[in-house]
Structure formats: structure tokens, C-alpha cells
Amino acid sequence: MLAVALSAILYALLISNSLAELGRGSLRQRQSPKCAASSFTNVVNLPGVTVTIEKAVSISERGSYAESGNQGFPQTIDLLPALCAVTVRVTNTSDVPIKPQSSYRIGLFLPTTTNWNSTILTVGSASFAGGINWPGMSEGTHYGFATISTDNGHNSAGSDLSWATPARLYDWGYRALHGSVLVGKLLVAHYYSNSPTYSYYAGCSTGGRQGLREIQYDTNSFDGALIGAPAWDTMHLMPWISKIAAQQLNTTANGRLRATQLSILATEVLRQCDAQDGVKDNIISQPDQCRFDISKIICSDPSRCLTRAQADTAGKIYGEYIINSGNGRNRTVYNGFTLSSEDQWSVYFGSDAALSDFDFSYERYWLYNLTSTQPPYTWQQYSDQVVLDSERINAGQATANQFDALSSYRNRGGKIIMYHGLADGLISPKTSLAYYNATISSMNTSEAREIRSWFRYFQVPGMQHCYFSNRFNAPWDFGAPGQASQLRMLPALGTNLKAFGDGWSVPGHLGDERYDMLAALVKWVEEGREVEQVVATAFKEDLSEGVYRTRPVCAWPGRAVWDGRGDVDVAGSWRCV
């Protein structure tokens, strides 16, 4: 650990000195940087690091871009501003022999000199995907950011874990993102002949985990971070998924939850819980306050009910994962899903194929390194020992649980905005609140004012994982990472909808910090404007008639309360209390 810390300090000093030289104008000033691979050669001089420029391509105003063969992010993105798209290969031997050599790719979108806002935005990845997140990067270019992302050291779809090797796990865990920030800052500074004024981060899910992990590893990387639904607790999330899957596979088929039963369950949850927050509006704003009685939908008719075994399965998914730590002591290792998240459960638990394959890939490929010539890891092998093994191995050192390191980030003025949809059925929002509370505990203070001076957490009722709402169309769009690009990629997602929006921010409120959380973060960092609320937007189903409803999301522990008079679908009828 000492060697890792010294390595991080050394690299930080080298980067700082290099950027300072650029700031003093030691490089020749160029009014119009040339978008060519030769413009980026011999720029990076870091111990053990080799940088190869794969290509640099000019994109015209309102142009499009896609990377052939990118399995993680294959979509074409459009409406880009004029920019230079750069792809870089990095190898790093500085960890050898303690850890294997690092190898990953970086993507950069560099706006024109006129459009660059003198800042950098690093963008996170998603799930277990390998491939540069060009769609996520595209959003930031419209604000004027130079944007950076990494392929995490491999190329794969998001549900594929079979790529794991020790080197790739470290790269996915933290090394590729950290190296991309260091190398990216130098390339950006060289391209514009000027040191960036601020450095920001935006990511959701795995992207959220990456941002938190990097802040803990190197507190100098970012001045502000927008963190969505972070899968920060890898070492416990994945065994929890396996535990639930094993419990379902260990029952008869009538204990497994299928699409019909999940729909029945979600409908009944809404019926019982909707009005408990004081307004019946098809949004469950306080799922933790609902006393849900699942017995109301237990019967023998599968078209309208759950069996008792299915109800028991649902209870386990809502519940906490508790193990015996020895000496008769139990501890909670993961938090179950919240009420209103049922529409997304099918991703992990909706089919026998998912239950028996993806749900145990973590054990097979990441923990126990089983090869194709060995018998596959099966659900019958699962036990709570997996949790202990996962904690001991900490695959890729991916889990972002070094809370003590956050004090340094706070002390240098860094800001974090974290958000989580309360209808998220992939990463439990309870884990984000746990992260927030663990941060408070690590600083030996329970005063909300102290934590809120640099870290604010927002819960978003009705929003699913990172973007979109459950079937009841709660407000979900507030300029968070991935939201705008998802609207542009609706045709590629198998919908019958056309591409929507401008490719960034929130339609109708472009760059407006009242509606756009990334813009609000920038105002907080650069102008000291504290973020108490941001208005979230939901659009009508076919997107042709614009806004369906708006509502403020509030900085924790605040929540939105209706004024009792105005239109419940208009944000102005609500206030944060």
C-alpha cells in the first residue's frame, strides 16, 4: 500500500509540473491546433508509460462518430460540435513486478479552440463493458469540455465477465481510469497549449464507482464529480446477486419470478405505497416509509397473483444480505432493493439463463479464475464463504471503500454531487445512502452542514438505473451522465421512437443549472453556488408533445413536498423541505 501511495504522489507531482510548464507558456502557442496524430506524439513523459497515438480524426459541426468494433459502446452518436476525436493506446509497467503490466486505450473529444471552456470532463464507463464511452463523452463537448474516457483495458459487452485476467481486472478496477486522467490532462494541455483550469468527472453505475474510486486514490484528479447510482461495493454486490439467484434456483419453478409476476408485484406496490407520501400521482416518493403487505396478492391464479414461494423470493430481494461473521455475530453485507424497483428485476432474475449464467460469472471468472477446461461454477456451490473470499481477494481492487481518503479531497475544495433513482432495480439506492453515511462517519462528525459543504446526495423518486423511469413515467431527466445520449440513441435501443433532444443537457433547458445537474456542479465548484435542488423532467410517451411533468429533486435529507394547491405535474407546485 505504501508503494502504491508513493507512486500516486510521484505521478501527481510530475503531472503538476508538466501542467505548470504549459501554463507558463513553455510550449509554442497555436491558434488553430492541428487534428493529426503527429500533434500528440512525444507529449507524455512518465515513468514506465508508453503512449501510442492510434488516430486523430476531425469531426465537422453537427457531425457523427462511431468506433468500429467497439463492443461496449457500438452506437453512432450524432449532432456533435466541431472537434478532434483522438484514440490513444497506453501501456504502463510502473507497477511491475508487484502487479502485471497495464494496457488500455483512451478516447478524447477535443472541441475547437474557440469552443473549449478551458476545462476537462472525464467520463466513466458502464457495467462490465470494455470499449471507449464515446456516447457519454459526446454530451460534455456541447458544454465546451474536452472529454476523456477509457476502454478499461478490454473490449466486451456489458454483461460479459469472461475477459478477466489479473491485469485487466486491475485496469477495470482503477488503473485505466487513473491513467486516462493523467495522460489525458497532458494531451489536452499540449493540444491547446494551455493548462486546464478545472477538471470534472461524470459517471453512472460502474462509472459512478470509477469516479469514487479515483477520488479515493488520487484526490487531485477532479475538482468536481457527478456520481450516479454508483456500483461502489463490487465485493458485496456480486455475491448478493449470486445469493438471490441461488435461492431461486433452489426452489421449484413456482418460486421464480417471471415477467407477469413482476408486473403484478409492481402494480400492487404502487397501489399500496403511492399515496403514503401524501400525493397519489403514480410516483412512490418515500419507499422506505411504505409498509407493504405482499399477502394481498398471494393466491393460486398466476394471471393475477404470486404464489407463496414467489412472495418469499420477493421478500428476499427486498431484504438485507446478512452473514454470520463468527463469535455469534451477524453483519449486513448488502442492501436489498427498494419498493418500486420491481420493473428492472428481470435483468438479474427474470430468466433461468440469467440466473444460472451471468449471476455466477463473478465467481467463475473473477474470484476463482476457472478456465474453459474446468467445470463451470454452478449455483449449487454458492455459500456465504463467497462473501469472505470476495472481501479477501477484492478483485481488481475495484471497491471504493477507502472513506478516510475523502478528507483530503474535501480539504482541497473538491465537490461531489451523487444521485440515485429510487426505482433502480440494478443497484440498490440504499447503497448510495450507506456510502454517504459512511463518509460522514469516517470524518467523525454527524453534522449535516459539514458534509453538505462539499458532498450532496439526491434521491430521485421513480427513476430507474441511471436514466428513464419505470412504467409510471416519473421525472428522470436532469442532465446527468448518459441521459441525453440515451435519448439520441432511442432507435438503436429497439424502440419505435425517433432520436430526441440535442445530445446534451435537458431538452428545452440546455445548460440551465436549474434543470441540469452537471451545469449545477460547475456553478458550485467555480462560483460557490450551493445546489439545493434540480428540476427533473419527464417527457410524454411518444416524445412528440414535449414535457409530461416536472418535479424538483432535493439535496438529502430534503424531499419534495406538494403545496396542496398547484398542479402536481409542475415543479413550481413543489418545494424542498
Side-chain angles (χ1 to χ4, degrees):
M1 292 300 294
L2 178 60
V4 171
L6 291 174
S7 176
I9 292 170
L10 172 62
Y11 272 75
L13 289 171
L14 290 168
I15 293 294
S16 177
N17 291 337
S18 297
L19 294 178
E21 289 179 3
L22 288 168
R24 291 193 295 268
S26 63
L27 292 179
R28 180 171 56 90
Q29 297 298 311
R30 294 172 292 172
Q31 296 300 317
S32 300
K34 183 180 179 181
C35 183
S38 59
S39 298
F40 302 93
T41 57
N42 301 320
V43 173
V44 178
N45 183 19
L46 295 172
V49 176
T50 301
V51 173
T52 303
I53 310 302
E54 293 187 352
K55 65 177 180 179
V57 180
S58 293
I59 308 297
S60 60
E61 185 73 22
R62 298 184 69 81
S64 60
Y65 188 80
E67 182 183 30
S68 176
N70 186 331
Q71 296 182 40
F73 302 92
Q75 303 88 350
T76 298
I77 47 177
D78 62 0
L79 303 184
L80 287 167
L83 53 78
C84 182
V86 184
T87 310
V88 181
R89 165 71 67 181
V90 178
T91 58
N92 188 344
T93 60
S94 63
D95 283 344
V96 178
I98 299 172
K99 294 175 184 175
Q101 174 178 300
S102 178
S103 178
Y104 53 90
R105 297 167 71 241
I106 307 172
L108 299 95
F109 272 157
L110 305 175
T112 63
T113 303
T114 302
N115 291 337
W116 185 46
N117 63 8
S118 297
T119 60
I120 289 176
L121 176 69
T122 302
V123 176
S125 189
S127 57
F128 303 98
I132 295 168
N133 185 3
W134 300 103
M137 292 164 57
S138 69
E139 299 170 353
T141 60
H142 295 273
Y143 299 83
F145 293 111
T147 59
I148 302 168
S149 194
T150 176
D151 71 349
N152 303 312
H154 69 281
N155 186 22
S156 78
S159 59
D160 182 7
L161 284 74
S162 65
W163 48 263
T165 64
R168 289 174 178 169
L169 284 173
Y170 283 124
D171 287 343
W172 181 86
Y174 72 98
R175 294 194 307 189
L177 193 282
H178 179 64
S180 296
V181 174
L182 298 182
V183 172
K185 283 182 177 181
L186 292 175
L187 294 176
V188 169
H190 178 80
Y191 184 71
Y192 295 109
S193 295
N194 202 1
S195 179
T197 307
Y198 294 98
S199 173
Y200 293 94
Y201 181 85
C204 191
S205 191
T206 284
R209 178 196 64 78
Q210 288 175 301
L212 295 176
R213 181 68 175 82
E214 178 63 14
I215 288 169
Q216 294 172 2
Y217 185 72
D218 185 349
T219 58
N220 293 303
S221 289
F222 311 123
D223 300 294
L226 182 55
I227 305 294
W232 65 270
D233 194 6
T234 309
M235 67 170 65
H236 294 124
L237 164 64
M238 300 310 293
W240 176 78
I241 293 172
S242 301
K243 172 76 168 181
I244 298 297
Q247 289 172 334
Q248 290 199 56
L249 291 166
N250 197 33
T251 68
T252 59
N254 71 355
R256 299 172 195 173
L257 292 166
R258 296 295 183 247
T260 298
Q261 282 65 49
L262 290 175
S263 179
I264 292 167
L265 179 59
T267 300
E268 181 63 16
V269 167
L270 181 73
R271 189 188 71 81
Q272 292 189 34
C273 301
D274 182 8
Q276 291 198 16
D277 56 19
V279 183
K280 192 168 185 178
D281 55 0
N282 285 345
I283 300 174
I284 300 173
S285 297
Q286 296 177 275
D288 58 325
Q289 298 300 309
C290 180
R291 299 297 175 257
F292 179 61
D293 182 2
I294 200 170
S295 69
K296 301 292 186 184
I297 52 170
I298 295 176
C299 75
S300 59
D301 182 355
S303 67
R304 62 184 184 88
C305 291
L306 275 63
T307 65
R308 290 191 180 278
Q310 288 169 335
D312 181 62
T313 296
K316 291 173 180 175
I317 295 174
Y318 290 129
E320 311 298 281
Y321 186 5
I322 299 173
I323 67 170
N324 188 303
S325 295
N327 299 320
R329 296 181 179 180
N330 292 337
R331 63 183 172 103
T332 298
V333 295
Y334 202 75
N335 307 108
F337 287 142
T338 55
L339 295 163
S340 75
S341 64
E342 301 78 18
D343 279 341
Q344 282 197 309
W345 290 5
S346 59
V347 174
Y348 294 149
F349 311 125
S351 68
D352 287 349
L355 289 170
S356 60
D357 186 10
F358 171 81
D359 293 359
F360 294 96
S361 292
Y362 176 73
E363 287 80 7
R364 178 175 186 181
Y365 298 114
W366 287 37
L367 289 189
Y368 305 127
N369 301 312
L370 299 179
T371 67
S372 59
T373 61
Q374 295 173 289
Y377 187 93
T378 65
W379 66 267
Q380 292 94 340
Q381 294 171 263
Y382 188 86
S383 72
D384 291 344
Q385 181 61 40
V386 170
V387 175
L388 303 179
D389 291 342
S390 186
E391 292 172 339
R392 174 178 54 81
I393 295 170
N394 188 13
Q397 296 181 0
T399 296
N401 60 355
Q402 302 301 310
F403 299 103
D404 291 344
L406 294 170
S407 294
S408 296
Y409 182 73
R410 176 200 62 187
N411 292 341
R412 61 171 293 269
K415 302 288 191 287
I416 297 174
I417 292 179
M418 185 167 69
Y419 63 90
H420 209 132
L422 291 180
D424 191 333
L426 298 184
I427 304 294
S428 172
K430 297 176 187 177
T431 63
S432 284
L433 185 56
Y435 187 96
Y436 187 77
N437 289 333
T439 301
I440 295 174
S441 298
S442 73
M443 295 179 176
N444 299 315
T445 176
S446 59
E447 297 177 6
R449 181 178 301 177
E450 171 65 16
I451 188 75
R452 284 166 55 87
S453 69
W454 66 279
F455 188 173
R456 299 215 169 179
Y457 170 50
F458 292 77
Q459 294 184 334
V460 189
M463 187 176 84
Q464 294 188 316
H465 189 57
C466 296
Y467 31 72
F468 301 143
S469 170
N470 58 21
R471 72 183 80 174
F472 306 113
N473 205 9
W476 62 272
D477 189 2
F478 44 91
Q483 293 182 344
S485 56
Q486 286 293 310
L487 287 173
R488 291 303 307 170
M489 295 187 296
L490 284 170
L493 298 177
T495 70
N496 294 319
L497 300 172
K498 296 180 180 179
F500 182 69
D502 302 273
W504 68 293
S505 192
V506 180
H509 303 286
L510 297 178
D512 186 340
E513 67 271 18
R514 296 171 299 173
Y515 295 82
D516 182 323
M517 199 169 275
L518 178 57
L521 174 66
V522 171
K523 293 291 185 181
W524 190 18
V525 169
E526 299 182 17
E527 300 178 17
R529 296 188 194 178
E530 295 183 342
V531 188
E532 295 293 344
Q533 69 170 53
V534 174
V535 175
T537 300
F539 306 99
K540 295 190 176 180
E541 290 292 338
D542 62 0
L543 302 178
S544 64
E545 298 182 35
V547 173
Y548 173 58
R549 56 182 167 184
T550 57
R551 186 165 301 179
V553 293
C554 309
W556 179 265
R559 63 185 183 90
V561 175
W562 181 45
D563 64 11
R565 300 181 305 275
D567 187 339
V568 296
D569 291 333
V570 176
S573 303
W574 298 75
R575 62 189 178 92
C576 291
V577 298

